[in-house]
Amino acid sequence: MIKILPEINAVYARSEEKQAELMHSLSHEIFEIASGWYNGHYQKNEAGKWCRDSYPIPVISIKSLCDIEIQFDHIAVSTKLKRDAALAYSYDKIMAFEFEAFGVEDYLADFFHRGQTLQDLKTNIRHCKEAEIGFSFVFPFASSGKVIFEFAKLLKQEGFYY
């Protein structure tokens, strides 16, 4: 028997519990949701390079709005805007949240990350050939279902989609 299985089971049990909590909070008439376990997601390593992960994580999809990826140490909400909408968007209502922007066709193309300015974001979008811009918002793992629900409503109000 593999000695690390109890630790793996504990981490996955925690992820399952968070998935159930979020599914319960998002199960309202305004959202159509589905969930599953998916691998092949990308994260940046300590050196800031993108690395593909083979292990599965729970993902909750809100139809036509966003994917909610439950990582082991955080929650990421992925969504997008059309390029022109991303250039025209004021970002006032989302700047309080930690987020990154990237290409949808070339999803490893970084357009915005912590430490950059809004002007950097708009310049990078202006110089890209992408038709859509992806956004990933990061929340602490301990974030409540209510926080994620309210954020999803904000995304919908602001014209984000998936």
Side-chain angles (χ1 to χ4, degrees), residues 22-55:
L22 295 180
M23 289 286 291
H24 177 74
S25 295
L26 294 166
S27 296
H28 294 280
E29 292 179 15
I30 65 171
F31 295 134
E32 184 178 332
I33 59 173
S35 71
W37 289 77
Y38 300 94
N39 66 339
H41 46 283
Y42 284 78
Q43 294 190 70
K44 285 186 180 176
N45 64 16
E46 295 81 26
K49 301 289 182 196
W50 288 104
C51 296
R52 184 185 179 278
D53 292 328
S54 295
Y55 58 85

Side-chain angles (χ1 to χ4, degrees), residues 44 50 105 117 153:
K44 285 186 180 176
W50 288 104
E105 292 294 321
T117 66
K153 285 191 340 187

